[in-house]
Amino acid sequence: MAYDAQAPLHSPPTGLAELEQRVRDDLACLCYPPANWVVPTRAESGEHVHDVVVIGGGMCGLVASFALLAGGIRNIRIFDRSPSGFEGPWLTYARMETLRSPKQLVGPAYGMASLTFRSWYVALFGNDAWAGLDKIPRPMWMDYLRWYRKVLALPVENDVEVGKILPEGDLMRLTLSGGGARETSVLARKVVMATGRDGMGHPSIPGFIDGLPRKYWAHSSDPIDFEPLRGKRVVVVGVGASAVDNAAEALEAGAAEVRHLIRRKEMPTINKLMGIGSFGFTAAFPRLDDARRWQIMNYSLRTQTPAPRGSTMRVSRHSNAYFHFDAAVKKVELDGEEIVIATPSGKTVRTDFLILGTGFTVDPLARKELDGYADKIALWQDRYIPPAGEENSDLGKFPYLADDFTFIEREPGTAPWLSNIHSFNAGAAASLGKMSGDIPGISEGAAILAREVAAKLYQENFDQHWQRLLDYDTPELRGDEWTASPLPDDQRTFVRKQA
């Protein structure tokens, strides 16, 4: 049964209130938020300088911000371009019925049981409902993230678009626009790009689509209106999760037929990385040498993560759904109002609308925020030459990041400000593993990010912190806790008497 966010809750009305009090109590026990310890910075103009600006108020941005605040870094701003409650993909282009991740994963809870999805769900629906829950409905996950933001009072500023991130001396200037922007730009010492799955690239648009008018096709991340597809023929390119979810939406909207065109010869069936996921894998991946990291990521990309079973059956239960394997798209032409798709086998497919389930491409050069210096960022293709047979041009475009999620200069000395920008998004996967985009490792990633940001901020102000040490003069003792006693004239005399 689909989750209805508007349906009444069958639970005691005090359930969520009690949980929220528990969260507050837990935070108080953890001394959250601690006092700000970062040395204030002022621009030469006197303009306020933020210690950290987080771009993105979705799951990654929320837990990253919580981790920073929990570490006593309180002079921060959080910007998201979406309206409040619609951050991330969950209520926009994500179209799966349920999450792939098992319900018990702690996600962004950051080590607090009271912040887990399970605690939130049980507070609303009870333990019996939790026991009967299979997978988390997608809209429900968004409701949980809304609650997470509210109960932690995270100061996300919505309807704020970050245009460019520009170096300005030792600082970074971010240009802002949108209805929620209070100023046209802000200064920051550190920037965290918590920009999600497409946050270090763009939707992958194959070249065969060139020349086809836009009204005849859409990418799976586009805001597609499926109702006009009723009675139409639809072709979906690909068979990954997004392709399958969009095919299901078209079928449920009444499409006459939906055909998957799949270049692979058979359906991928095994989610390889799920089989090795562990705390050890998350901790060790950034420490592996380049060859081993490439080996793992290249194997994962080549084997491809399959769509979830439930999502695939959501398509296959329709008699007018078709899966065509070994059917890559060679050429696309328009014949009147029909789209004609040629395949390498010589066969053609005619359709009315084309959906590209082709995922996202990681490409820092495409990010408007980095315009003017993205070519100075070191990529994996600049740092590692794989052995014959292991080449992967897509993987080579991932940024080659430092251990703190920051960019590294391709040529030393050409763009030193890159060490102030943290790529806490899907682009970090090749360098640090999946700690900044997927539910399983997001809290571990946020903890590493916050610790590394704190270390940099402290080191950069070491002289001031040293002076704080010298200047600190609050006494622990008042002077009335002891009485001074003179030493005896000859301690040896005392020893002989005792003997």
Side-chain angles (χ1 to χ4, degrees):
M1 182 176 67
Y3 168 67
D4 182 1
Q6 305 301 319
L9 302 178
H10 302 287
S11 64
T14 59
L16 198 57
E18 290 176 355
L19 176 61
E20 290 173 356
Q21 184 58 52
R22 179 177 148 203
V23 172
R24 288 190 288 270
D25 291 343
D26 289 347
L27 292 173
C29 290
L30 295 171
C31 300
Y32 174 90
N36 186 76
W37 55 266
V38 185
V39 175
T41 301
R42 281 281 175 184
E44 291 184 3
S45 64
E47 181 179 352
H48 180 78
V49 177
H50 304 89
D51 293 319
V52 184
V53 164
V54 178
I55 305 174
M59 179 179 70
C60 290
L62 292 178
V63 67
S65 300
F66 178 41
L68 292 167
L69 292 166
I73 304 171
R74 300 181 63 174
N75 177 24
I76 70 173
R77 298 277 289 276
I78 314 164
F79 300 128
D80 194 282
R81 65 188 178 186
S82 302
S84 180
F86 290 87
E87 302 84 1
W90 311 108
L91 297 181
T92 52
Y93 64 83
R95 298 184 174 105
M96 62 282 202
E97 289 184 322
T98 65
L99 272 58
R100 175 196 297 271
S101 299
K103 65 180 181 180
Q104 69 271 15
L105 294 185
V106 298
Y110 203 64
M112 291 180 57
S114 56
L115 278 179
T116 58
F117 174 84
R118 176 175 180 168
S119 291
W120 176 82
Y121 184 92
V122 169
L124 290 176
F125 303 105
N127 281 302
D128 290 344
W130 170 258
L133 180 67
D134 178 26
K135 294 290 182 67
I136 301 172
R138 169 181 48 81
M140 183 182 284
W141 182 255
M142 187 69 236
D143 282 346
Y144 160 69
L145 291 177
R146 288 168 173 168
W147 172 80
Y148 180 100
R149 168 182 170 176
K150 178 178 76 74
V151 76
L152 292 176
L154 296 172
V156 180
E157 299 174 49
N158 289 94
D159 298 304
V160 180
E161 179 90 17
V162 176
K164 290 186 177 182
I165 306 170
L166 302 169
E168 190 168 305
D170 293 331
L171 305 173
M172 308 303 296
R173 183 171 292 280
L174 292 80
T175 62
L176 308 178
S177 62
R182 306 201 303 260
E183 56 266 274
T184 57
S185 69
V186 295
L187 285 173
R189 295 176 65 182
K190 309 296 174 191
V191 178
V192 175
M193 296 182 69
T195 42
R197 191 162 299 281
D198 63 337
M200 196 44 60
H202 55 81
S204 180
I205 309 296
F208 61 69
I209 210 71
D210 295 346
L212 185 66
R214 196 65 170 85
K215 70 175 184 176
Y216 293 101
W217 67 274
H219 188 269
S220 60
S221 64
D222 289 333
I224 303 173
D225 182 2
F226 287 90
E227 183 57 33
L229 299 181
R230 180 179 297 276
K232 302 287 187 179
R233 298 165 298 173
V234 178
V235 161
V236 177
V237 178
V239 75
S242 64
V244 167
D245 293 333
N246 279 267
E249 290 281 332
L251 289 161
E252 291 164 2
E257 67 174 32
V258 174
R259 297 182 183 273
H260 279 279
L261 295 187
I262 307 158
R263 65 184 178 187
R264 294 176 180 271
K265 294 184 178 181
E266 56 187 26
M267 181 78 84
T269 59
I270 300 172
N271 185 351
K272 289 289 189 175
L273 288 184
M274 181 176 287
I276 63 170
S278 68
F279 182 72
F281 175 73
T282 301
F285 189 90
R287 300 188 182 189
L288 298 177
D289 60 31
D290 289 354
R292 286 178 172 174
R293 287 187 288 178
W294 182 277
Q295 179 183 6
I296 292 171
M297 288 300 299
N298 185 42
Y299 180 70
S300 174
L301 291 174
R302 286 190 172 184
T303 54
Q304 188 178 350
T305 301
R309 172 177 166 80
S311 296
T312 307
M313 294 185 70
R314 184 182 168 201
V315 173
S316 62
R317 67 172 175 245
H318 294 270
S319 60
N320 55 338
Y322 304 90
F323 295 84
H324 300 294
F325 296 95
D326 198 14
V329 176
K330 181 179 179 182
K331 186 178 180 181
V332 174
E333 292 181 320
L334 197 61
D335 181 13
E337 291 296 306
E338 281 189 317
I339 303 167
V340 182
I341 303 171
T343 66
S345 67
K347 294 182 179 180
T348 61
V349 177
R350 289 179 175 266
T351 192
D352 302 307
F353 194 74
L354 186 62
I355 297 177
L356 303 175
T358 46
F360 296 94
T361 296
V362 172
D363 182 9
L365 291 171
R367 299 304 304 181
K368 68 181 187 310
E369 301 97 327
L370 310 175
D371 189 31
Y373 56 85
D375 59 338
K376 301 182 186 300
I377 295 172
L379 307 180
W380 268 83
Q381 65 191 19
D382 302 319
R383 291 292 192 267
Y384 180 69
I385 300 176
E390 293 296 315
E391 300 89 351
N392 189 320
S393 59
D394 291 335
L395 186 55
K397 292 180 181 178
F398 276 70
Y400 189 91
L401 301 179
D403 290 347
D404 61 354
F405 294 91
T406 56
F407 296 117
I408 295 174
E409 299 167 282
R410 183 157 57 166
E411 297 293 336
T414 58
W417 61 85
L418 289 174
S419 64
N420 292 326
I421 307 176
H422 301 257
S423 180
F424 193 65
N425 50 50
S431 298
L432 300 169
K434 296 197 171 184
M435 294 192 291
S436 54
D438 292 344
I439 291 171
I442 191 68
S443 286
E444 288 84 355
I448 292 171
L449 173 75
R451 184 182 68 239
E452 296 295 336
V453 170
K456 276 192 169 181
L457 292 173
Y458 191 94
Q459 289 172 312
E460 291 171 5
N461 291 119
F462 179 80
D463 290 343
Q464 292 94 325
H465 288 293
W466 170 250
Q467 192 61 47
R468 285 180 175 180
L469 174 62
L470 298 179
D471 294 342
Y472 185 74
D473 60 359
T474 302
E476 289 279 341
L477 301 176
R478 300 177 182 177
D480 60 353
E481 297 89 353
W482 73 93
T483 301
S485 303
L487 285 172
D489 293 336
D490 191 342
Q491 186 69 14
R492 290 173 297 175
T493 302
F494 174 78
V495 173
R496 284 196 299 272
K497 288 180 177 179
Q498 290 297 311

